[in-house]
Amino acid sequence: MGLEFVLLQTPREWPGSELAERLGVSPRTVRRDIDRLRELGYPVEATMGAVGGYRLAAGTAMPPLLLDDEEAVAIAVGLRTAASHPVDGIEEASVRALAKLEQVLPSRLRHRVGALAAATVSMLTGSEPPVDPRNLVVIAGAAANRERLRFAYRSGDGSDTRRLTEPYRLVAAGRRWYLLAYDNDRDDWRIFRADRISDPQATGIRVPARVQPEQDAAAFVTGKLYSLAPTYEVVAALRLPAGQVERRLGAAAGDIEPIDDRSCRLRGPADTLEWTASRLLMLGCEFEVHEPPELVAYLRALGARATRAAQAPGGARTGRQDGDR
């Protein structure tokens, strides 16, 4: 049906016989495809007579890709998952695509997507609080339309406030979403954690674009976060070849200096002791931390806690337990 869609958007009427000839199908197939378009909600007009034919109603745009109900639901759910658990390289694109898709989904499909999302529990684990994709869609839509946005916000100290903002960009940094917006009440640019935003509402009031604090919103947010968060300089000797460490740590590797064929030295910044300790332990090799002393103390406490857990009564039981699969 793809070529037929394109032809119907041209500013003329197409007789059924001419469409059939151009597409290499039967007139019956053309009529069936026209009925299918109407079922999907696209206003295809028909006129009778020798000069009659089919055309798409004026002012209606035909998207380049049409999806059936099941395909639309599958894509929407997939985009919601990508938005809830940011994946490097596609996080912001996922939210933009989800916002566009939900704007054109029929109400019956939006209901199905919402019901499926509510009934689905992700097995992805992590210490970061989840973000409701519906909130991200509202925020992204307001930013794209340059609309003022109201929302409830819980600060780091637990206080609740209502904010009126001019949203600029959603930024995925690390394992969290952040909103860069102009705060109308504070008369300044602010960064908001998306997981602390609730009840976002676009006001419908469009405003002219403001001069951004920086052209690169992601760089601005990342710089601000690093300036506020405590950072540590990690130095550790790893009993693992440098190449294997680079592959296992990826972008979080930092500077790796080979010591010999079997070991290397790791240097780099770290914003949390917990995350750094878990990354080192997950390497599955022997290692020795030289800096910072806070990380050394944290690993000692973690090791003592693990030892106590292993020595607890019942800790040596083996075999399959109830619920094991």
Side-chain angles (χ1 to χ4, degrees):
M1 273 195 315
L3 180 57
E4 187 171 354
F5 301 156
V6 175
L7 294 176
L8 287 174
Q9 292 184 87
T10 58
R12 57 160 291 188
E13 291 185 347
W14 290 89
S17 58
E18 187 174 349
L19 278 175
E21 182 180 354
R22 289 285 297 269
L23 299 173
V25 298
S26 67
R28 181 178 179 182
T29 299
V30 170
R31 289 193 296 270
R32 186 178 65 244
D33 289 347
I34 294 297
D35 290 340
R36 175 60 174 156
L37 284 175
R38 288 169 173 163
E39 290 174 3
L40 290 171
Y42 297 102
V44 180
E45 298 177 343
T47 56
M48 306 300 291
V51 294
Y54 300 103
R55 68 178 298 168
L56 195 64
T60 303
M62 185 70 69
L65 174 65
L66 287 178
L67 306 170
D68 62 30
D69 288 3
E70 299 303 324
E71 291 169 338
V73 170
I75 291 176
V77 172
L79 290 171
R80 279 174 172 260
T81 301
S84 301
H85 306 277
V87 179
D88 289 344
I90 67 168
E91 54 279 293
E92 294 179 54
S94 299
V95 173
R96 292 198 307 269
L98 181 59
K100 293 176 181 177
L101 180 59
E102 293 205 345
Q103 285 179 356
V104 299
L105 280 179
S107 59
R108 70 180 190 281
L109 296 189
R110 284 198 298 271
H111 176 75
R112 287 181 60 185
V113 171
L116 183 55
T120 303
V121 178
S122 172
M123 293 186 67
L124 296 177
T125 59
S127 59
E128 305 302 333
V131 179
D132 189 338
R134 291 172 296 183
N135 289 350
L136 294 179
V137 169
V138 174
I139 296 169
N145 296 328
R146 294 207 297 269
E147 290 184 49
R148 284 182 175 163
L149 181 75
R150 291 188 184 275
F151 54 82
Y153 190 71
R154 173 161 292 184
S155 302
D157 60 6
S159 59
D160 294 318
T161 57
R162 294 288 300 180
R163 300 297 183 96
L164 177 62
T165 66
E166 297 171 18
Y168 174 55
R169 287 286 188 275
L170 275 169
V171 176
R175 299 171 299 282
R176 288 188 179 132
W177 282 101
Y178 296 90
L179 168 64
L180 174 59
Y182 189 86
D183 192 321
N184 294 100
D185 296 325
R186 275 81 175 165
D187 196 25
D188 197 6
W189 289 92
R190 290 288 190 271
I191 298 172
F192 302 94
R193 271 180 47 175
D195 58 280
R196 294 176 178 170
I197 292 176
S198 60
D199 191 29
Q201 297 178 356
T203 63
I205 301 174
R206 302 190 67 175
V207 294
R210 292 184 180 270
V211 178
Q212 303 89 356
E214 284 188 21
Q215 285 298 112
D216 190 335
F220 177 78
V221 170
T222 302
K224 283 290 186 182
L225 295 177
Y226 275 120
S227 68
L228 297 174
T231 57
Y232 305 93
E233 184 68 20
V234 175
V235 180
L238 311 175
R239 305 297 187 267
L240 198 66
Q244 293 189 36
V245 174
E246 290 177 348
R247 287 193 296 271
R248 296 184 187 184
L249 290 183
D255 296 327
I256 299 175
E257 175 188 354
I259 297 176
D260 52 40
D261 293 342
R262 298 183 178 181
S263 60
C264 63
R265 183 174 289 103
L266 170 67
R267 296 178 183 270
D271 56 350
T272 66
L273 299 176
E274 296 83 359
W275 178 247
T276 304
S278 67
R279 293 292 284 173
L280 291 173
L281 290 168
M282 289 171 63
L283 286 173
C285 68
E286 297 293 324
F287 63 89
E288 180 180 352
V289 174
H290 301 293
E291 296 289 344
E294 294 88 348
L295 180 56
V296 175
Y298 179 81
L299 285 167
R300 285 174 178 165
L302 185 63
R305 188 158 64 246
T307 299
R308 290 193 298 271
Q311 294 174 345
R317 287 186 300 177
T318 60
R320 183 166 176 165
Q321 303 296 315
D322 290 343
D324 287 347
R325 294 291 183 271

